[in-house]
């Protein structure tokens, strides 16, 4: 329910602060008015949650029925709008479900100069999660009014990074700071326009800074009201941004094909591709982080998908020439290095850990420790013994408790895959809501693009002739989008831009940008702009900022 308009202080009107040179660059790329709209849109979440249904396990209709019951039975008073759940109307995306939210709402904070509300100040990252529907958890709380007790009504506001004397950005306060509601408070002005809702304290002030986890504030009156799907219908649904789902469709995977997802974690696009293939074929999901590979394994197992194999691999080292191939075998027998298949994971008893069962590593540690010579001997050093004893004392690590393992790959021979998805690590300047962007500079934006070109150089070698390569990012930065496409088309004459289906994003940028330091950045040529998809956060689609380019691979020289 909308309330009377609060004072300008107790409102949500954040202004995204950019490095001046970056702002000038984006103004040249988009035009000042358009970029101002993009910048404002980035500070707000999308007005709906986008859910991808796991059609291997269930149907959109069944999910809509279950979600409707869950929302109707919810005790948090989250009444969204009439008929909030709907099936996506875009042809081919009927398995995508939208759950509408609402906002921005005007919140009555009960403020007056004589009686200001009690306040809880949270970190920016906590606030960004809260704006997407999360609760205020203890680790996100930075400061609090004195004498807050459990059950008190509190206003929640955001601690933003501020420029410091060294030219850097930082939050200028210590965790546990006591807030005052008066203008004499040194942080009073910094909180103006950054209030995200009113809630009930679930802990006293002392409790918020004493315990390590749990809900600190039940935020029951929010500026943006979006349902949380934490632990809801696990394995049946996956919360995913619409452009990410479109990227999987652009790849157009076919049953029985061999596909590489070069930067796969956390596995959203990997599992989307597997579902489009009806879990028939082979998808290799690679990531450079051991723990992120385990995340992909866990999600694949949760969704019951068996066509996905995983490996730990740096995208910059994806290509392995034939004379350097490892002798190690794989679950499929033809992939260089070590990968873990999910049919193997699902049947592996290690997926169900028992306290009585020791891992091979633990047995090895114990054996080494018990047989070690007093002077250190030849087998293992005293430092290793101490490390191993520490590991045993501290319990099983994440790898052992999940029963997972991330086989390390030495890379793949050229022309190994029918299709490759390079969803490149990027500046992420399209993600929403975003409350801070001051760290990126023109140089850092260029460097992101250079890094992505190196990954693209690897990806293009791995796709067979006649295959498809899809490049995507979640940023609005032309250096990482249009400039990378220009590089690819100029360097690899056998590549050509291919049509994408569905096509719901807008065109890319045509032309070039000349920088004050003399650097010239080339973008797309007329006609090429209509072949890529660019998702604008300020458009009616109300998505994150995202970019997709699809390439057909012709005969290689």
């Amino acid at each position: 329910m909308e309330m009377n308009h609060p004072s300008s202080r107790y409102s949500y009107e954040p202004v995204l602060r950019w490095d001046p040179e970056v702002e000038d660059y984006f103004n040249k790329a988009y035009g000042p008015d358009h970029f101002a709209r993009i910048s404002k849109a980035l500070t707000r979440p999308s007005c709906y949650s986008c859910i991808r249904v796991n059609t291997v396990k269930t149907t959109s209709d069944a999910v809509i029925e279950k979600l409707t019951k869950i929302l109707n039975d919810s005790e948090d008073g989250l009444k969204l709008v009439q008929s909030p759940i709907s099936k996506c109307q875009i042809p081919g995306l009927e398995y995508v479900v939208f759950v509408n939210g609402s906002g921005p709402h005007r919140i009555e904070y009960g403020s007056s100069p004589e009686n200001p509300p009690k306040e809880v100040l949270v970190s920016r990252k906590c606030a960004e999660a809260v704006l997407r529907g999360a609760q205020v958890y203890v680790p996100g709380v930075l400061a609090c009014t004195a004498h807050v007790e459990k059950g008190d009504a509190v206003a929640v506001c955001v601690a933003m990074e501020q420029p410091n004397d060294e030219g850097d950005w930082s939050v200028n306060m210590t965790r546990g700071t006591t807030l005052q509601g008066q203008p004499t408070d040194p942080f009073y002005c910094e909180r103006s326009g950054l209030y995200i809702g009113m809630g009930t304290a679930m802990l006293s002030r002392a409790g918020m800074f004493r315990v390590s986890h749990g809900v600190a504030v039940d935020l029951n009156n929010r500026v943006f009201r979006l349902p949380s799907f934490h632990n809801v219908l696990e394995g049946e649904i996956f919360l995913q941004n619409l452009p990410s789902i479109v990227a999987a469709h652009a790849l157009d995977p076919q049953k029985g094909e061999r596909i590489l997802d070069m930067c796969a974690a956390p596995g959203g696009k990997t599992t989307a591709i597997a579902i489009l293939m009806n879990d028939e074929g082979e998808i290799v999901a690679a990531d450079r982080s051991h723990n992120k590979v385990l995340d992909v394994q866990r999600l694949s197992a949760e969704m019951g998908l068996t066509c996905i194999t995983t490996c730990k691999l740096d995208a910059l080292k994806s290509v392995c020439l034939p004379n350097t191939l490892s002798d190690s075998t794989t679950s499929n027998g033809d992939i260089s290095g070590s990968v873990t298949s999910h049919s193997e994971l699902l049947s592996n008893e290690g997926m169900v850990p028992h306290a009585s069962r020791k891992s091979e590593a633990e047995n090895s540690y114990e054996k080494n420790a018990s047989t070690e010579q007093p002077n250190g001997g030849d087998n293992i050093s005293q430092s290793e013994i101490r490390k191993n004893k520490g590991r045993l004392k501290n319990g099983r690590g994440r790898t052992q408790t999940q029963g997972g393992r991330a086989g390390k790959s030495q890379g793949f021979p050229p022309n190994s895959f029918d299709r490759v998805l390079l969803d490149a690590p990027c500046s992420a300047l399209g993600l929403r809501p975003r409350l801070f962007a001051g760290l990126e500079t023109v140089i850092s934006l260029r460097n992101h693009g250079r890094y992505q070109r190196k990954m693209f150089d690897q990806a293009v070698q791995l796709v067979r002739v006649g295959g498809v390569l899809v490049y995507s990012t979640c940023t609005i930065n032309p250096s990482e989008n249009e400039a990378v496409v220009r590089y690819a088309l100029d360097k690899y004459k056998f590549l050509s831009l291919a049509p994408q289906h569905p096509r719901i994003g807008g065109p890319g940028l045509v032309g070039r940008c000349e920088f004050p330091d003399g650097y010239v950045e080339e973008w797309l040529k007329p006609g090429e702009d209509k072949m890529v998809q660019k998702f604008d956060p300020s458009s009616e689609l109300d998505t994150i900022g995202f970019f997709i380019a699809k390439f057909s691979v012709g005969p290689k020289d």
Side-chain angles (χ1 to χ4, degrees):
M1 180 178 174
E2 301 285 339
M3 301 292 184
N4 294 329
H5 199 292
S7 68
S8 59
R9 170 178 171 74
Y10 295 98
S11 63
Y12 183 73
E13 290 294 337
V15 176
L16 203 51
R17 297 169 74 173
W18 301 87
D19 174 271
E21 291 184 347
V22 169
E23 188 165 10
D24 183 59
Y25 168 55
F26 285 149
N27 280 334
K28 287 178 181 176
Y30 294 101
D33 291 343
H34 187 187
F35 180 59
R37 294 195 301 273
I38 290 173
S39 201
K40 182 174 182 178
L42 287 175
T43 64
R44 303 179 173 204
S46 299
C47 65
Y48 60 93
S49 297
C50 183
I51 292 171
R52 177 167 57 80
V53 175
N54 181 3
T55 53
V56 172
K57 281 190 174 183
T58 184
T59 65
S60 299
D61 290 332
V63 164
I64 289 173
E65 184 178 341
K66 290 179 183 178
L67 288 179
T68 301
K69 185 175 189 307
I70 289 169
L71 288 177
N72 288 340
D73 293 346
S74 65
E75 299 177 356
D76 59 5
L78 186 63
K79 300 303 178 186
L80 302 174
V81 294
Q82 287 186 336
S83 304
I85 306 177
S86 60
K87 219 181 279 188
C88 180
Q89 298 302 304
I90 299 166
L93 298 183
E94 293 83 4
Y95 68 103
V96 176
V97 170
F98 296 139
V99 182
N100 290 333
S102 61
H105 294 273
R106 295 172 182 170
I107 309 297
E108 178 55 65
Y109 291 94
S111 59
S112 68
E114 302 79 24
N115 187 29
K118 292 183 178 182
E119 299 181 18
V120 169
L121 187 64
V122 300
S123 70
R124 172 180 56 84
K125 289 187 176 181
C126 173
E128 290 170 348
V130 168
L131 289 166
R132 292 192 299 270
Q135 283 288 15
V136 178
Y137 290 98
V138 165
V141 176
L142 290 183
C144 183
T145 306
H147 311 303
V148 167
E149 299 297 335
K150 182 178 179 180
D152 283 354
V154 292
V156 177
C157 52
V158 189
M160 293 297 299
E161 289 89 341
Q162 303 292 333
N164 57 32
D165 296 337
E166 289 75 37
D168 296 325
W169 296 81
S170 61
V171 176
N172 304 319
M173 68 170 59
T174 306
R175 188 169 190 267
T177 295
T178 300
L179 298 177
Q180 303 166 20
Q182 304 298 335
T184 53
D185 182 344
F187 306 109
Y188 185 86
C189 293
E190 293 180 5
R191 304 202 295 278
S192 183
L194 292 172
Y195 286 78
I196 59 175
M198 196 79 182
T200 304
M202 304 302 287
L203 297 165
S204 66
R205 172 190 163 81
M208 290 183 194
F209 300 112
R210 184 176 65 240
V211 302
S212 60
H213 61 276
V215 175
V217 179
D218 176 16
L219 203 62
N220 43 41
N221 195 2
R222 299 165 175 259
V223 172
F224 290 93
R225 297 170 191 166
L226 290 165
S228 171
F229 295 100
H230 184 61
N231 293 332
V232 174
L233 303 184
E234 285 189 351
E236 294 183 43
I237 65 172
F238 185 78
L239 201 62
Q240 189 169 23
N241 290 300
L242 181 62
S244 296
I245 299 172
V246 173
H249 276 264
L251 191 66
D252 194 24
Q254 303 298 310
K255 293 180 182 179
E257 288 185 327
R258 189 167 188 236
I259 293 174
L260 173 64
D261 187 351
M262 284 181 70
C263 306
K269 294 181 187 67
T270 313
T271 53
I273 294 166
I275 289 170
L276 289 176
M277 296 168 69
N278 199 33
D279 204 25
E280 296 177 30
E282 180 190 3
I283 303 171
V284 178
D287 201 276
R288 64 184 296 180
S289 163
H290 176 93
N291 285 344
K292 287 183 177 180
V293 171
L294 297 186
D295 289 338
V296 179
Q297 290 181 2
R298 187 171 63 250
L299 179 63
S300 303
E302 180 184 290
M303 301 192 90
L305 300 168
T306 60
C307 74
I308 298 169
T309 59
T310 59
C311 65
K312 181 183 175 185
L313 176 64
D314 185 341
L316 295 177
K317 301 174 182 176
S318 298
V319 179
C320 182
L321 298 177
N323 60 344
T324 60
L325 287 177
S326 167
D327 292 333
S328 58
T329 58
T330 72
S331 58
N332 292 68
D334 60 350
I335 297 179
S336 172
S338 175
V339 299
T340 305
S341 73
H342 284 281
S343 55
E344 183 184 354
L345 277 173
L346 289 167
S347 62
N348 186 346
E349 67 172 352
M351 290 294 287
V352 188
H354 295 283
S356 61
R357 185 193 306 135
K358 294 177 181 175
S359 69
E360 291 180 14
E362 287 171 340
N363 287 326
S364 173
Y365 295 156
E366 290 183 344
K367 181 179 178 181
N368 285 332
S370 62
T371 59
E372 188 55 46
Q373 300 297 322
N375 62 356
D378 296 325
N379 296 330
I380 192 169
S381 69
Q382 288 291 336
S383 64
E384 280 299 312
I385 294 176
R386 287 192 294 272
K387 281 183 187 176
N388 295 339
K389 285 183 177 178
R391 290 184 184 113
L392 292 172
K393 179 181 178 182
N394 293 329
R396 311 177 81 185
R398 178 176 171 181
T399 308
Q400 290 96 344
T401 54
Q402 291 183 349
R405 57 190 185 279
K408 186 174 181 180
S409 172
Q410 301 302 313
F412 308 99
N415 308 308
S416 292
F417 296 94
D418 299 298
R419 300 172 198 264
V420 170
L421 172 64
L422 173 55
D423 184 54
C426 68
S427 58
L429 291 178
L431 296 185
R432 305 169 58 188
R434 171 176 290 280
L435 299 179
F436 178 68
L439 291 180
E440 291 289 355
T441 66
V442 167
I443 299 301
S444 72
L445 293 183
R446 284 185 207 164
N447 287 337
H448 287 305
R450 291 190 183 102
Y451 182 57
Q452 286 144 0
R453 291 177 191 185
K454 291 180 180 178
M455 284 187 279
F456 195 98
D457 289 336
Q458 296 283 301
V460 74
Q461 296 179 64
L462 293 173
V463 191
R464 65 167 176 80
V465 174
V468 168
L469 169 57
V470 168
Y471 172 80
S472 64
T473 71
C474 57
T475 185
I476 61 171
N477 175 25
S479 296
E480 303 172 77
N481 296 337
E482 288 88 351
V484 173
V485 174
R486 173 83 279 122
Y487 164 82
L489 293 174
D490 289 347
K491 181 172 181 178
Y492 301 103
K493 300 302 182 183
F494 55 83
L495 290 181
S496 57
L497 287 173
Q500 301 180 36
H501 305 286
R503 183 183 169 79
I504 57 175
L509 296 172
V510 172
R512 67 207 302 252
C513 182
E514 297 184 19
F515 290 84
D517 64 359
Y519 180 82
V520 177
E521 184 173 273
E522 299 286 348
W523 297 336
L524 302 178
K525 296 176 181 177
E528 294 172 346
D529 57 323
K530 304 294 195 299
M531 299 294 286
V532 303
Q533 291 200 71
K534 190 156 190 168
F535 291 83
D536 182 339
S538 66
S539 73
E540 290 184 2
L541 274 178
D542 196 23
T543 65
I544 62 171
F546 204 86
F547 181 86
I548 309 171
K550 178 180 181 179
F551 300 88
S552 293
V553 180
K556 299 180 181 180
D557 293 333

